Amino acid sequence: MGKNPQNRVRLRPVDLARPHGLSTQAVRNYEEAGILPAAARTESGYRTYSPLHAQALGTFLALLPGHGHPTATGIMRAVNRGAADEAFRLIDESHAQLLEDRRTLSAVENALRDLGPGAPKPRDPAPGTPAPGTPPPGSPAPAEPAPRPPTPAAPAPPEGPTPTPASTFIGPLADRLSVRPATLRKWEAAGLVRPRRDPLTGYRVYGEAEVRDARLVHQLRRGGYLLEQIAPLVDQVRAAGGLEPLEAALGDWRSRLATRGRALLTGAAKLDAYLNEQERERQSRGVLRISS
């Protein structure tokens, strides 16, 4: 009859710690946290580990980059107490979060494309196309138009300073975005747009940065994102100092997501091998109990 794999090789804490550059105290902490199965004890009370413990440690360290410490810890605890379904649920949540992050990145990229210089603009007329109102060639010259009455003077603006060429008020900005002024006020209440107040009139004044934020929020809302989902994206634009620095960071963001996706695969492979080893050990213990 084969022997129990746990009894085949005895490992000390240092034997588990050294290959990973860890301290022996870290190994003991991982055991106490449930990341490693409980260690056997010698007659004098010293911990002894087995190759299964070494595999558990390697599995946990492989799970860390993709899942983070809390989730990786939860996965190993669940597996070591036989609650595989709980471990699989935690893994599913990490994959769902990665997918949500990818969708967020795509939304930001799409919004930046719509806001950037490459956004669709009115097409120039084809060469040779007459300007609107120009009579076709060969037609008689139009009669001289009758003199028009003088245009009445525009009403005087409200007392106080007018916005600079790079700024605007809430009404014109709402018209530009095809939204109601109440929508802009709602975005302001959510902290997504931060117009300043004119010190004389109290009117909201939207500068270049506020118009940029409003356009970004508008694009993301059109994409189905909720205000609470948009808030961190606007914060990223502000922290980057505008759209151009954020565009430069998107490639790094995408690279990090790819690295995380690969890490999830690596951790899954290690966890699958660990689960298989656990199952073999349980079967071996069952055979030993029957034979005894």
Side-chain angles (χ1 to χ4, degrees):
M1 261 325 153
K3 294 182 180 179
N4 187 338
Q6 287 275 34
N7 298 325
R8 200 175 297 155
V9 179
R10 289 188 176 184
L11 301 174
R12 300 165 301 167
V14 68
D15 298 323
L16 269 65
R18 186 181 293 125
H20 303 289
L22 300 173
S23 67
T24 55
Q25 184 59 50
V27 172
R28 289 190 285 269
N29 291 344
Y30 287 153
E31 181 194 346
E32 291 172 2
I35 293 168
L36 307 182
R41 297 277 183 164
T42 64
E43 292 181 358
S44 54
Y46 290 107
R47 288 178 170 88
T48 61
Y49 297 105
S50 72
L52 184 68
H53 291 88
Q55 192 169 359
L57 179 58
T59 299
F60 171 70
L61 296 176
L63 291 170
L64 278 177
H67 296 275
H69 196 282
T71 301
T73 299
I75 292 170
M76 293 303 297
R77 283 174 172 169
V79 165
N80 289 330
R81 69 171 184 267
D85 283 347
E86 172 65 13
F88 298 153
R89 183 189 66 79
L90 293 171
I91 292 170
D92 291 344
E93 287 182 354
S94 290
H95 281 278
Q97 182 61 58
L98 178 60
L99 178 59
E100 184 61 29
D101 290 346
R102 288 189 184 280
R103 288 172 174 164
T104 299
L105 173 60
S106 295
V108 173
E109 289 177 330
N110 291 335
L112 292 182
R113 276 195 293 269
D114 291 339
L115 296 178
K121 298 178 180 178
R123 294 183 179 179
D124 293 331
T129 303
T134 302
S139 60
E144 289 291 332
R148 293 188 300 177
T151 303
E159 185 177 351
T162 57
T164 65
S167 63
T168 186
F169 291 132
I170 189 169
L173 180 57
D175 290 342
R176 190 188 309 180
L177 299 176
S178 300
V179 300
R180 294 162 51 189
T183 299
L184 286 171
R185 288 192 287 269
K186 182 177 180 181
W187 295 350
E188 179 184 351
L192 304 178
V193 184
R194 299 171 181 171
R196 65 179 178 85
R197 293 280 185 163
D198 187 288
L200 295 181
T201 65
Y203 294 165
R204 292 172 172 87
V205 180
Y206 297 81
E208 288 185 1
E210 291 74 37
V211 171
R212 175 203 68 202
D213 293 347
R215 294 176 66 196
L216 179 60
V217 173
H218 183 234
Q219 293 295 336
L220 293 171
R221 288 291 292 143
R222 288 176 59 189
Y225 281 77
L226 302 176
L227 297 184
E228 55 267 29
Q229 295 172 311
I230 296 173
L233 307 181
V234 175
D235 289 341
Q236 288 178 0
V237 172
R238 290 173 181 154
L243 296 176
E244 291 184 4
L246 183 61
E247 286 176 342
L250 291 181
D252 181 60
W253 186 358
R254 183 173 292 281
S255 176
R256 292 199 307 271
L257 292 181
T259 299
R260 204 165 103 215
R262 185 67 179 268
L264 288 174
L265 290 177
T266 301
K270 288 280 192 180
L271 182 62
D272 182 63
Y274 178 60
L275 290 171
N276 288 334
E277 189 60 34
Q278 271 191 329
E279 182 61 27
R280 281 192 289 268
E281 183 179 327
R282 279 194 292 268
Q283 292 175 354
S284 175
R285 283 198 299 240
V287 169
L288 288 174
R289 276 197 293 271
I290 293 173
S291 62
S292 62

